[in-house]
């Protein structure tokens, strides 16, 4: 089966990055003025070439031949090692690191674009690199001089890999229940003991070492999540001996089979040595940088996974003959059937919208860290906090729908392993769970993002959307803006109710409300895409306009219909304590 060419994806990402989000404007800021647009174009082209050459062709192979645990050691397919080595040698592991750390110091929106390129090709193989970069960025930001000099270079160069170790067998999303302990030694290091679960990339055989970033409890911390500390616990000691970190099991997953997912024990036959990052008991705040980066990363790879399936389904629909032209009697490709067009347009509406949402969120990262106006930088940071859970939630939720539609377009061919959409659907199904389940993120969005400040951040964003609706032009923009304006009004009303309601009511409506807010944001970003194509009437512009209208007519109204219940004062049936009686 030929692999998916990334050319069309690259074209789409360039359009979003430069025409819609004006990434070029970042290059005049001191943080990024060592780069120019030609640099960015060359980096994107190099990533596209590497993704097609080393990552796309191995996706099916590493799905079928997943990692193995043999006598306590995890082995992964050699193709993953080759891809990781090529990725590291091309400089992508350090692309977002500071120049003084040997990196390229790329804007976050460009680094996120790179994740989309490699994610569409093969997220399970690229994941090892994504995690390693995220670990390196934590050490770069919060580590001391010794930690930076010791760990950054081998992570940047791919000699070592990195992971994050949060969850434990008894505590998935409940970080306050973590039991792993770290005890201070006389030499300033810590003895770490405990078990971690669901650790992506937790063990493999293609790097000399793995730097685990571990949440643990040290003496003096509170018993909840805010008392946790963050430590670097390498798999191998710095002298090359074992650091008593053992893989006690592999989780055999529905998707992402090429990425090892491990249960790890720290302190096997003696404690593991750990190095405290930053201050004691501040680990969760440090880890949130990695978690939030990972949530945007899951969002963009979810959108990219949906895009990959959409492209396969489109090519299949163009060549699959079924049915006949009523006038000529000639066989026709199924892409000409209205219902197939509907499914393909819905996929594109989700894919292009999701990619734009992720890059917009990453653009807020750049503005929060580099905008010359402190007021604008602060606004971007507030908006980023609001957006981060939504980005992951929306892209993985709607992305799964898009992947399901890709299978439906292809009929029986869609659910057999002869075609990649079956594998891509399985890979996508993990994303609503990765990096915080969507239900948890929806509650976080309601309680932290909306109720904490009385909904002020959300209302400011909605006001920004409303102000842009005044600059619409043409029938296509008008058709999209009418539904968008109605949705904004409904969300404003719902937000006021949820802020004033009991916490239990807000929690009960969290998921449908968060999805509707995400739909509204994506509809707004679709409007911005259509505005960016003003004056264009080629096939690309026409298909973009059709996808935008599909979003406003078929997708956004679904979630609007659900949250209408909030305005009408209806209580969800699952919030009734008597509902449990139905489960017998």
């Amino acid at each position: 089966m030929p692999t998916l060419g990334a050319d069309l994806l690259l074209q789409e990402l360039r359009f979003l990055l430069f025409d819609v989000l004006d990434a070029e404007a970042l290059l005049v800021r001191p943080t990024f003025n060592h780069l120019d647009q030609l640099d960015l174009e060359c980096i994107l082209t190099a990533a596209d070439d590497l993704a097609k050459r080393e990552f796309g062709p191995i996706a099916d192979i590493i799905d079928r031949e997943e990692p193995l645990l043999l006598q306590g050691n995890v082995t992964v397919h050699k193709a993953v090692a080759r891809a990781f080595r090529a990725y590291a040698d091309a400089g992508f592991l350090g692309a977002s690191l500071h120049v003084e750390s040997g990196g390229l110091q790329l804007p976050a929106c460009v680094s996120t674009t790179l994740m989309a390129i490699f994610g569409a090709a093969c997220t399970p193989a690229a994941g090892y690199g994504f995690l390693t970069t995220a670990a390196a960025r934590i050490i770069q930001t919060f580590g001391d001089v010794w930690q930076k000099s010791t760990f950054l270079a081998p992570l940047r160069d791919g000699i070592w890999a990195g992971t994050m170790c949060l969850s434990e067998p008894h505590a998935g999303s409940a970080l306050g229940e973590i039991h792993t302990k770290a005890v201070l030694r006389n030499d300033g290091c810590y003895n770490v003991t405990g078990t971690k679960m669901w650790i992506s990339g937790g063990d493999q055989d293609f790097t000399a070492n793995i730097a685990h970033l571990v949440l643990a409890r040290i003496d003096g911390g509170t018993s909840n999540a805010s008392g946790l500390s963050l430590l670097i616990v390498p798999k191998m000691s710095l002298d090359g001996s074992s650091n008593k970190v053992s893989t006690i099991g592999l989780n055999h997953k529905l998707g992402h089979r090429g990425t090892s997912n491990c249960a790890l024990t720290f302190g096997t036959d003696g404690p593991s040595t750990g190095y405290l990052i930053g201050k004691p008991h501040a680990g969760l705040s440090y880890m949130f940088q990695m978690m939030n980066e990972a949530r945007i990363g899951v969002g963009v790879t979810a959108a990219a996974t949906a895009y990959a399936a959409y492209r396969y389904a489109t090519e299949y629909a163009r060549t699959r003959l079924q049915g006949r032209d009523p006038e000529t009697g000639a066989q026709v490709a199924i892409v000409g059937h209205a219902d197939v067009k509907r499914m393909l347009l819905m996929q594109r509406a989700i894919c292009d919208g999701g990619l734009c949402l992720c890059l917009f969120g990453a653009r807020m990262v750049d503005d929060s860290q580099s905008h010359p106006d402190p007021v604008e930088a602060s606004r971007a940071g507030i908006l980023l906090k609001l957006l981060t859970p939504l980005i992951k939630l929306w892209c993985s939720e709607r992305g799964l729908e898009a992947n399901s539609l890709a299978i439906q377009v292809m009929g029986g061919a869609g659910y057999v392993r002869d075609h990649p959409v079956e594998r891509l659907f399985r890979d996508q199904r993990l994303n609503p769970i990765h990096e915080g389940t969507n239900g948890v993120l929806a509650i976080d969005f309601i309680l932290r993002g909306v109720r904490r400040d009385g909904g002020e951040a959300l209302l400011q964003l909605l006001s920004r959307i409303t102000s842009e609706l005044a600059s619409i032009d043409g029938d296509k923009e008008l058709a999209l803006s009418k539904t968008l304006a109605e949705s904004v009004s409904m969300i404003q009303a719902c937000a006021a109710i949820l802020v004033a309601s009991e916490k239990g009511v807000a929690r009960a409506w969290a998921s449908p409300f968060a999805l509707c807010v995400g739909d509204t944001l994506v509809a707004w970003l679709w409007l911005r895409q259509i505005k960016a194509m003003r004056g264009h009437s080629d096939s690309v512009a026409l298909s973009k306009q059709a996808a935008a209208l599909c979003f406003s007519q078929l997708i956004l109204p679904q979630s609007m219909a659900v949250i209408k219940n909030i305005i009408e004062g209806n209580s969800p049936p699952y919030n009734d304590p008597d509902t449990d009686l139905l489960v017998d």
Side-chain angles (χ1 to χ4, degrees):
M1 183 75 187
T3 59
L4 172 72
D7 294 337
L8 290 172
L9 175 60
L10 183 59
Q11 176 183 316
E12 175 64 26
L13 292 168
R14 282 173 172 154
F15 166 70
L16 296 176
L17 199 58
F18 298 115
D19 297 331
V20 179
L21 300 175
D22 193 22
E24 190 176 4
L26 294 169
L27 304 182
V28 302
R29 299 179 184 176
T31 306
F32 305 117
N33 64 8
H34 60 290
L35 300 163
D36 58 30
Q37 187 163 354
L38 180 59
D39 292 327
L40 301 187
E41 291 283 0
C42 290
I43 290 167
L44 294 176
T45 301
D48 178 55
D49 175 70
L50 181 60
K52 287 189 291 186
R53 180 164 37 87
E54 295 288 348
F55 286 80
I58 71 173
D60 182 60
I61 297 169
I62 67 172
D63 180 73
R64 287 186 282 105
E65 301 178 33
E66 57 185 300
L68 298 173
L69 177 60
L70 301 171
Q71 297 180 335
N73 298 309
V74 173
T75 61
V76 301
H77 200 283
K78 292 182 179 179
V80 174
R82 290 195 299 269
F84 183 86
R85 186 70 264 149
Y87 186 87
D89 290 346
F92 290 115
L93 284 174
S96 63
L97 296 180
H98 295 162
V99 170
E100 56 266 31
S101 298
L104 298 177
Q105 201 164 310
L106 293 181
C109 59
V110 178
S111 297
T112 303
T113 302
L114 297 177
M115 293 184 75
I117 292 172
F118 288 104
C122 183
T123 297
Y128 294 98
F130 298 161
L131 286 163
T132 299
T133 295
R137 284 174 55 82
I138 286 284
I139 295 170
Q140 175 184 257
T141 305
F142 302 110
D144 59 28
V145 173
W146 176 82
Q147 289 169 349
K148 292 177 185 179
S149 65
T150 302
F151 294 100
L152 276 184
L155 289 171
R156 179 199 65 212
D157 297 339
I159 299 170
W160 294 2
T163 74
M164 59 177 181
C165 301
L166 290 76
S167 298
E168 298 185 1
H170 62 283
S173 300
L175 298 182
E177 303 299 323
I178 283 177
H179 293 165
T180 298
K181 294 182 178 180
V183 178
L184 181 63
R185 302 190 322 214
N186 292 334
D187 61 1
C189 299
Y190 285 79
N191 288 336
V192 180
T193 55
T195 301
K196 294 293 183 179
M197 187 64 162
W198 312 115
I199 310 305
S200 295
D203 198 9
Q204 35 77 8
D205 58 346
F206 57 81
T207 61
N209 206 346
I210 301 173
H212 299 293
L213 299 191
V214 180
L215 279 180
R217 297 193 182 281
I218 63 178
D219 289 341
T222 61
S223 60
N224 56 22
S226 62
L228 295 170
S229 299
L230 184 63
L231 301 97
I232 308 169
V233 186
K235 175 185 175 181
M236 305 299 296
S237 296
L238 300 182
D239 62 6
S241 62
S242 171
N243 194 29
K244 312 297 177 57
V245 180
S246 299
T247 302
I248 57 175
L250 275 178
N251 299 304
H252 299 283
K253 308 183 301 299
L254 172 75
H256 285 201
R257 292 178 175 175
T259 306
S260 61
N261 189 277
C262 307
L264 301 177
T265 292
F266 296 87
T268 305
D269 299 324
S272 302
T273 298
Y275 309 95
L276 180 68
I277 295 178
K279 299 178 181 179
H281 322 307
L284 193 59
S285 64
Y286 303 152
M287 184 61 90
F288 261 114
Q289 173 183 298
M290 192 172 186
M291 290 167 64
N292 287 334
E293 287 182 13
R295 285 169 179 169
I296 294 177
V298 170
V300 77
T301 53
T305 299
Y307 187 93
Y310 157 68
R311 289 300 309 160
Y312 280 118
T314 301
E315 292 304 314
Y316 181 88
R318 286 172 175 166
T319 57
R320 175 71 165 96
L321 300 178
Q322 186 167 311
R324 295 185 179 273
D325 185 287
E327 295 182 2
T328 66
Q331 280 193 305
V332 294
I334 63 172
V335 74
H337 298 321
D339 197 56
V340 172
K341 285 184 179 179
R342 174 189 67 84
M343 292 188 286
L344 291 173
L345 275 176
M346 287 184 71
Q347 290 173 69
R348 181 159 193 186
I350 292 169
C351 299
D352 291 7
L355 290 171
C356 194
L357 176 63
C358 294
L359 296 187
F360 176 73
R363 184 68 161 78
M364 291 303 99
V365 174
D366 292 321
D367 283 346
S368 68
Q369 296 175 353
S370 70
H371 201 290
D373 184 343
V375 174
E376 290 301 318
S378 176
R379 285 176 181 168
I382 293 170
L383 179 55
L384 178 64
K385 288 181 181 179
L386 184 75
L387 284 178
T388 299
L390 280 182
I391 288 171
K392 186 271 182 184
L393 182 156
W394 190 91
C395 290
S396 59
E397 199 78 23
R398 291 297 189 201
L400 186 62
E401 295 176 22
N403 280 85
S404 181
L405 286 169
I407 290 176
Q408 192 69 22
V409 166
M410 296 176 63
Y415 56 68
V416 296
R417 295 185 181 181
D418 305 67
H419 298 274
V421 292
E422 178 269 344
R423 166 177 50 80
L424 290 166
F425 180 84
R426 288 187 286 103
D427 284 349
Q428 186 73 281
R429 187 59 191 85
L430 275 62
N431 288 322
I433 299 173
H434 273 166
E435 304 308 329
T437 63
N438 283 356
V440 169
L441 293 184
I443 292 171
D444 179 73
F445 172 71
I446 286 287
L447 299 186
R448 297 175 187 268
V450 178
R451 286 171 60 99
R452 177 170 290 184
D453 65 353
E456 185 62 29
L458 177 60
L459 294 177
Q460 287 184 8
L461 175 59
L462 296 175
S463 177
R464 177 176 175 178
I465 295 173
T466 300
S467 66
E468 288 194 22
L469 292 176
S471 63
I472 59 174
D473 178 45
D475 293 340
K476 302 298 184 184
E477 293 178 19
L478 181 61
L480 180 56
S481 67
K482 285 182 177 179
T483 310
L484 179 55
E486 182 183 354
S487 179
V488 167
S489 178
M490 290 183 67
I491 289 172
Q492 289 171 329
C494 288
I497 293 170
L498 294 174
V499 166
S501 67
E502 294 180 359
K503 187 177 291 187
V505 173
R507 285 174 178 266
W509 283 116
S511 288
F513 180 72
L515 186 62
C516 189
V517 175
D519 284 343
T520 302
L521 290 175
V522 172
W524 168 52
L525 293 171
W526 261 116
L527 182 60
R528 296 184 75 177
Q529 291 186 58
I530 300 308
K531 285 182 177 181
M533 303 199 83
R534 284 175 178 171
H536 295 270
S537 58
D538 55 19
S539 59
V540 174
L542 293 176
S543 64
K544 277 275 188 186
Q545 291 168 359
L549 288 175
C550 182
F551 193 93
S552 68
Q553 293 176 357
L554 299 181
I555 297 176
L556 178 57
Q558 294 177 15
S559 57
M560 290 170 60
V562 176
I563 69 163
K564 185 179 178 182
N565 285 284
I566 301 175
I567 298 172
E568 294 177 349
N570 297 326
S571 177
Y574 47 83
N575 203 38
D576 185 345
D578 292 335
T579 302
D580 289 343
L581 298 176
L582 301 176
V583 186
D584 280 333

